[in-house]
Amino acid sequence: MNKIIEAINEAVGEAQRRAADAASVADLEQIRIDYLGRNGLFPELSRQMGSVPPEERKDTGRAFNAGREAIQKAMDDADKKLNAGKSKEFTGIDVTLPGRAPRTGHRHPISQLADECVAIFSRLGFTAMEGPELEDIYHNFDALNTPADHPSRDMQDTFYLTDGRILRSQTSPVQIRVMESHEPPVRIAAPGRVFRRDTPDATHGMNFHQIEGLYIDRNVSLADLKSVLQYFAREMFGKDVKIRLRPHFFPFTEPSVEYDFSCVVCGGKGCNVCKNSGWIEIAGAGMVDPNVLKNVGYDPEVWSGYAFGLGIERLAMLRNHIPDLRLLYDNDVRFLQQF
Ligand code: DAH
């Protein structure tokens, strides 16, 4: 046995030991570099092959090839062992899995509907306006020609604060605030929250939403009011909806009307939603009372106009067939996410 074969045998034993102990792929790579790499042991031995006597060359060559293969095999085995362990341990991220979209919220159905109402009226030239929810008695009642003994001013109906202000019971005070701060003509639509001391049930809440309309100009007539309400009804419920006006009383309009839509559920034939009448009461309206115009400094001989109010929850219930308006405020996502 010559020196080269001795060196090969020693190197194989050493490399096999190191491969068996290798703790990482990096350890294996270092073994490859040390023995088989370009500046490693085996290329060096191969360069020394020229000094081997001819009769020993065959055996030396064989030992050389066998040694190289043995080291390669030791490394391959160790590599397999390392990877097998790894795939068992590894329970982490599968980057090929498609991601899960985070759930996002959306606007409340009442807010959506209020926006839709404003959009319809804005197509008719109405400008969106807002007023305060904390109102004074003057704007909510007196300026709207509502006398001090009117039942709606009762403590049982309106929320009074200890400082004398109230939670507004209607959006009508926005009419007053807009007229006080703008010269006529005015044409506004004012959505907002209102408050009443009602006992909550399927069709009443202590706070709900209205949208108020007001148009003041020269020579405004009840026919103008009717055409706007008719346009709104069609945009909201489709082209077959009819409207009708019935005489009524509100302190701030003269004449006053209540207006109905033909039942959007049965189309006017009669059902339990319209209580077999074929009509659904929507809200109040009328020609602005001259006293209201005087209260804001408009000359009733020059200016006239109409006003109307709509209950947004009522529209939502009709549009989406919601049987109980409390569903809108229970904050059950299973209900809300339908909209
Ligand atoms: N403010 C009234 C209410 O809450 C609704 C209403 C009636 C508004 C007639 C108006 C109107 O603008 O002209 O019941």
Side-chain angles (χ1 to χ4, degrees):
M1 209 181 349
N2 62 35
K3 273 217 172 91
I4 292 184
I5 296 180
E6 255 171 54
I8 289 169
N9 289 343
E10 200 181 316
V12 167
E14 198 180 272
Q16 283 172 335
R17 249 175 283 124
R18 281 177 61 185
D21 290 346
S24 69
V25 180
D27 289 348
L28 293 180
E29 175 61 7
Q30 192 55 54
I31 297 171
R32 192 191 64 76
I33 291 168
D34 290 346
Y35 298 98
L36 309 180
R38 192 140 39 101
N39 300 316
L41 180 68
F42 274 68
E44 169 57 28
L45 292 175
S46 144
R47 279 190 288 277
Q48 292 173 19
M49 211 59 99
S51 62
V52 174
E55 66 276 11
E56 291 177 20
R57 283 210 186 136
K58 209 170 156 191
D59 286 347
T60 311
R62 229 181 246 144
F64 184 91
N65 287 335
R68 217 169 39 180
E69 275 165 29
I71 291 174
Q72 186 62 54
K73 183 168 182 305
M75 290 196 312
D76 287 349
D77 290 349
D79 189 49
K80 259 183 224 148
K81 238 199 287 174
L82 280 177
N83 282 330
K86 219 192 248 157
S87 69
K88 245 179 242 153
E89 269 165 40
F90 189 68
T91 55
I93 302 159
D94 177 357
V95 292
T96 65
L97 256 185
R100 283 186 206 111
R103 267 178 39 171
T104 50
H106 61 70
R107 284 168 73 69
H108 190 274
I110 291 298
S111 303
Q112 290 179 35
L113 194 56
D115 286 353
E116 203 177 325
C117 292
V118 168
I120 293 172
F121 289 121
S122 73
R123 293 202 283 279
L124 293 170
F126 288 77
T127 304
M129 284 282 174
E130 281 187 339
E133 293 173 3
L134 267 176
E135 251 310 355
D136 52 57
I137 293 172
Y138 174 75
H139 285 89
N140 197 87
F141 293 124
D142 296 317
L144 286 162
N145 201 36
T146 310
D149 60 357
H150 193 275
S152 68
R153 296 179 66 147
D154 202 290
M155 299 271 285
Q156 311 299 321
D157 289 306
T158 296
F159 289 103
Y160 284 82
L161 275 75
T162 47
D163 66 2
R165 287 183 299 171
I166 58 168
L167 298 179
R168 68 177 174 192
S169 63
Q170 51 189 356
T171 45
S172 304
V174 185
Q175 294 182 28
I176 303 298
R177 292 191 173 274
V178 168
M179 289 190 285
E180 281 175 341
S181 55
H182 294 77
E183 290 299 319
V186 296
R187 182 154 36 182
I188 58 111
R193 193 186 282 268
V194 302
F195 307 84
R196 290 194 194 167
R197 291 189 70 161
D198 269 330
T199 304
D201 65 22
T203 54
H204 295 86
M206 288 193 290
N207 76 72
F208 55 99
H209 297 75
Q210 292 183 329
I211 181 163
E212 190 81 11
L214 174 72
Y215 176 43
I216 306 285
D217 206 335
R218 292 184 163 86
N219 305 318
V220 182
S221 74
L222 199 64
D224 298 325
L225 169 63
K226 192 170 179 187
S227 73
V228 164
L229 296 177
Q230 177 73 68
Y231 177 83
F232 177 81
R234 289 200 180 131
E235 291 294 294
M236 184 59 52
F237 291 109
K239 65 177 176 24
D240 297 327
V241 175
K242 296 186 203 38
I243 68 159
R244 73 175 183 188
L245 306 184
R246 284 179 288 109
H248 198 71
F249 174 80
F250 294 103
F252 34 89
T253 43
E254 179 58 36
S256 301
V257 296
E258 271 193 329
Y259 55 98
D260 303 336
F261 291 179
S262 59
C263 181
V264 295
V265 176
C266 66
K269 286 194 276 296
C271 66
N272 63 342
V273 174
C274 61
K275 302 195 188 83
N276 283 320
S277 71
W279 295 93
I280 289 174
E281 190 187 311
I282 296 294
M287 302 306 292
V288 178
D289 193 292
N291 286 339
V292 173
L293 296 175
K294 277 188 219 149
N295 288 341
V296 297
Y298 284 11
D299 181 354
E301 299 301 326
V302 180
W303 304 103
S304 58
Y306 59 73
F308 57 86
L310 285 159
I312 298 178
E313 278 77 2
R314 185 144 183 74
L315 290 179
M317 291 172 78
L318 289 171
R319 257 263 287 245
N320 300 303
H321 300 210
I322 299 169
D324 186 329
L325 69 74
R326 288 170 294 191
L327 286 166
L328 289 161
Y329 299 108
D330 285 345
N331 280 339
D332 185 336
V333 259
R334 291 169 304 179
F335 173 81
L336 294 175
Q337 72 191 357
Q338 299 176 77
F339 299 94

